[in-house]
Amino acid sequence: MTQSDDSLAATLLRRDCPLAPLIALAGITVLAACWAVFSPPVVLSTEMTWDLLFNLSGAWHLRFGHMPHVDFHEAVGQLTFILTQIGLEVAGPSPQALLVGVGIVTGFVFILATFAAWRRLPLIPAVLFVVFVCLLAVRPANVGDSPNAYSFAMTYNRYGWAGISIIGLILFVPPRRRGWADVADMAVVAALSVALFYLKVTYFAVAIASIVVALAVSPHVATRWRGWAVICLLCPALVLAPFNKPYIADLMATIQAGVVRDDVSFYLNDFAENAAEYAPYFAAVAIALWLWWRGKSSLGVPVATAFLLLAGLGLLSQNSQSHSVPLAVVIAFLLYQTLQRQQAATALLCALLLFPIASIVGATASIAGYHARTEAGNLKVVDATNLRGLAVPAEPDGVIAAFASGHGGARLLNRARAVRPRYELSPYEYVQTLEEAAALLRDNGLAAGKIATLDQVDPLPFMLGLEPPRGGNLWSGAGAPTLPAETYLADVDVVLIPKFTTNIGWTQTAQATYRAYLDAHFEHRAEGRSWIVLIRARR
């Protein structure tokens, strides 16, 4: 390698990061990713389409002035719905509103990640970190799912992983520049912690635990312990604030209903299934211990490494996905900085960057595939109601019709197995039943008033542009509290009972729980292939 090559490598991989090139290189990449996701005329959903409508339904409640955790109940914080509500104001009532929220989060993540990485990493690692966390937010598939499982379900988990990764970098990777910006670090961590509280409380808990651990093992945090201690005290005070009591009540009700995943055998099975993926994570902990044992790092490095891994696994245990821990990328950058200070070989430093590079490649494949899939055809695109612009994979029609008629023939079993949805309805079938519901209500003059659906999500008010009823759960299913009929149905004018449901367990439980109330206060009005419609009886 020539001297000029050494100088270039030192500039890119070892020296302080210049801000302008960082913004330019990372910004171009993130803008290209945003264009690929936001430019198609449709919003594509190939997995868990009802969860996309969960997001839109929550924002729809807010648009009518409903108070989260009072007028509707949900253990997830309101920030997700606020972002989509902004999208409703910008893009109108359509699935595109959700993408506006994604864009807002990506913009804030870019700013905060750029600030954190600029203070801590050389140019190439800094660019990789910024791109990595931004793609966590903008990617159209969940972390831990297949890259082509295109879904805007559980966007709060993607936002949460991005936020907690920035917090981890700030707390455990020492800055190269000290001074006033240390206070800015505190402000960033405090702001992200508050945002995570109103996003999903498990990420907030890990954020506070990270500050406590960093006070013990990170010298750059310990030297300003008073400021960080104030943040640790103020964040729990936020939890106990009177205006958060309804939120806490929803959280406690959900915990008591059994939503917390505490089956150890379940975790062990997931770990065994994905053991090869976890091996590099534990190897990183072993490397950190070896560096400390050889006197090349402080004890804080292996402690921080182990904490980041355990914290990531803890977060993963409460998500629907069974593998992939984005916090491991922070471990890679912590080891990178540690080895760089030991004047490690450039090849070894580059090897540590393979993990964030691999993660970026996976996210890029998902984003590029999403864009290509929207142009490839063979999509069912909704062209009516406020769901217009939603696209799902097209399927040969006839399965629901055959089951509904009871005359499916001998090939019905083969046809049903050929579709192979992961859930009880495919996205195509789910959208098909929703379109049938809207048509059934309109044909019978019932597309008015306040509508409740005995399914996991109640998307009909959003679809038809109607005010949703107050008092119910935003999401119903396994682990969700079953509300009393007087709370859930008192504000309802029309009840739809699905014959083909996204969660048969919940629908059957709801029918059994609310049968007496429905018999006393509602009457049968209409029935279609996929729905039974009840209306409130007049007295």
Side-chain angles (χ1 to χ4, degrees):
M1 181 179 289
T2 66
Q3 185 174 359
S4 61
D5 292 333
D6 283 333
S7 177
L8 178 61
T11 300
L12 298 178
L13 296 169
R14 297 180 183 273
R15 293 177 184 169
D16 288 352
C17 176
L19 184 58
L22 169 59
I23 293 174
L25 292 173
I28 290 171
T29 306
V30 173
L31 284 174
C34 289
W35 174 84
V37 174
F38 301 158
S39 63
V42 299
V43 176
L44 175 61
S45 174
T46 65
E47 295 280 347
M48 296 175 284
T49 303
W50 47 88
D51 211 309
L52 181 151
L53 298 181
F54 159 84
N55 192 327
L56 291 168
S57 297
W60 196 242
H61 273 278
L62 297 183
R63 196 174 195 188
F64 281 89
H66 294 190
M67 292 292 296
H69 315 296
V70 175
D71 295 317
F72 64 95
H73 299 281
E74 173 54 44
V76 170
Q78 60 185 288
L79 181 56
T80 299
F81 312 124
I82 291 173
L83 292 165
T84 305
Q85 182 195 17
I86 295 172
L88 291 174
E89 300 301 325
V90 173
S94 74
Q96 293 286 345
L98 192 147
L99 297 184
V100 174
V102 173
I104 293 171
V105 171
T106 304
F108 276 105
V109 166
F110 179 84
I111 293 170
L112 300 182
T114 297
F115 170 76
W118 167 65
R119 297 192 64 218
R120 289 165 170 79
L121 300 170
L123 180 59
I124 294 301
V127 169
L128 292 175
F129 178 78
V130 174
V131 171
F132 166 76
V133 292
C134 287
L135 294 193
L136 281 177
V138 79
R139 62 182 292 171
N142 283 307
V143 175
D145 272 347
S146 172
N148 66 350
Y150 306 124
S151 173
F152 292 96
M154 295 172 283
T155 53
Y156 46 80
N157 281 331
R158 303 170 212 183
Y159 304 159
W161 283 121
I164 204 68
S165 295
I166 296 171
I167 289 174
L169 190 78
I170 289 174
L171 292 175
F172 296 110
V173 178
R176 295 165 172 247
R177 303 171 174 87
R178 303 301 302 270
W180 66 269
D182 289 351
V183 178
D185 280 344
M186 296 180 194
V188 169
V189 171
L192 282 173
S193 297
V194 171
L196 292 175
F197 175 68
Y198 290 110
L199 188 71
K200 186 178 178 182
V201 73
T202 50
Y203 293 95
F204 171 77
V206 169
I208 302 305
S210 298
I211 298 173
V212 174
V213 173
L215 279 167
V217 304
S218 297
H220 68 286
V221 173
T223 56
R224 293 187 178 269
W225 66 269
R226 292 179 179 83
W228 290 107
V230 168
I231 295 174
C232 282
L233 293 174
L234 288 180
C235 285
L238 172 69
V239 176
L240 299 175
F243 53 80
N244 282 322
K245 285 184 178 179
Y247 182 18
I248 301 303
D250 274 357
L251 286 170
M252 296 308 298
T254 303
I255 291 171
Q256 291 168 4
V259 76
V260 176
R261 297 165 64 186
D262 56 3
D263 185 350
V264 175
S265 63
F266 184 85
Y267 303 146
L268 293 176
N269 182 70
D270 279 347
F271 179 81
E273 184 179 359
N274 300 283
E277 178 183 334
Y278 293 131
Y281 304 161
F282 287 97
V285 176
I287 292 171
L289 284 168
W290 180 81
L291 289 172
W292 167 70
W293 183 259
R294 294 295 301 271
K296 297 181 180 297
S297 76
S298 68
L299 180 60
V301 172
V303 172
T305 301
F307 169 77
L308 287 166
L309 176 56
L310 293 175
L313 292 173
L315 287 171
L316 185 65
S317 73
Q318 300 307 311
N319 292 351
S320 295
Q321 288 69 44
S322 61
H323 65 103
S324 189
V325 181
L327 269 177
V329 168
V330 179
I331 296 175
F333 289 118
L334 173 59
L335 293 178
Y336 183 97
Q337 191 187 75
T338 301
L339 289 172
Q340 181 189 342
R341 289 179 174 177
Q342 297 299 321
Q343 299 300 312
T346 299
L348 180 57
L349 296 179
C350 291
L352 283 171
L353 298 181
L354 290 177
F355 186 78
I357 290 173
S359 300
I360 290 170
V361 168
T364 302
S366 179
I367 291 168
Y370 175 89
H371 186 85
R373 185 69 180 83
T374 62
E375 298 180 338
N378 197 31
L379 296 176
K380 156 70 176 173
V381 181
V382 180
D383 59 5
T385 76
N386 287 338
L387 276 188
R388 58 188 174 277
L390 175 65
V392 295
E395 297 173 5
D397 203 358
V399 173
I400 284 182
F403 274 107
S405 67
H407 300 90
R411 294 189 61 81
L412 179 59
L413 177 64
N414 303 90
R415 176 70 193 94
R417 297 290 168 81
V419 174
R420 296 189 198 177
R422 290 175 62 186
Y423 304 98
E424 294 175 56
L425 290 179
S426 70
Y428 176 83
E429 292 164 345
Y430 180 60
V431 168
Q432 186 180 48
T433 63
L434 293 181
E435 290 180 317
E436 290 175 13
L440 183 63
L441 291 173
R442 286 174 169 164
D443 292 346
N444 288 275
L446 301 175
K450 296 181 178 179
I451 302 171
T453 306
L454 300 189
D455 201 358
Q456 288 187 101
V457 182
D458 184 11
L460 268 299
F462 170 77
M463 289 180 64
L464 299 172
L466 303 173
E467 180 178 359
R470 300 172 189 259
N473 287 328
L474 192 62
W475 174 82
S476 300
T482 301
L483 300 173
E486 293 75 13
T487 300
Y488 174 37
L489 297 172
D491 194 36
V492 173
D493 301 307
V494 180
V495 174
L496 284 93
I497 302 175
K499 298 178 182 179
F500 304 100
T501 171
T502 63
N503 188 320
I504 187 61
W506 156 247
T507 299
Q508 290 179 337
T509 298
Q511 287 180 276
T513 302
Y514 303 128
R515 179 175 292 116
Y517 186 95
L518 293 173
D519 289 344
H521 299 279
F522 287 80
E523 60 186 28
H524 184 283
R525 178 59 182 272
E527 186 167 344
R529 182 175 67 177
S530 304
W531 299 91
I532 299 169
V533 182
L534 309 179
I535 64 168
R536 187 170 290 277
R538 296 181 180 179
R539 295 181 182 246

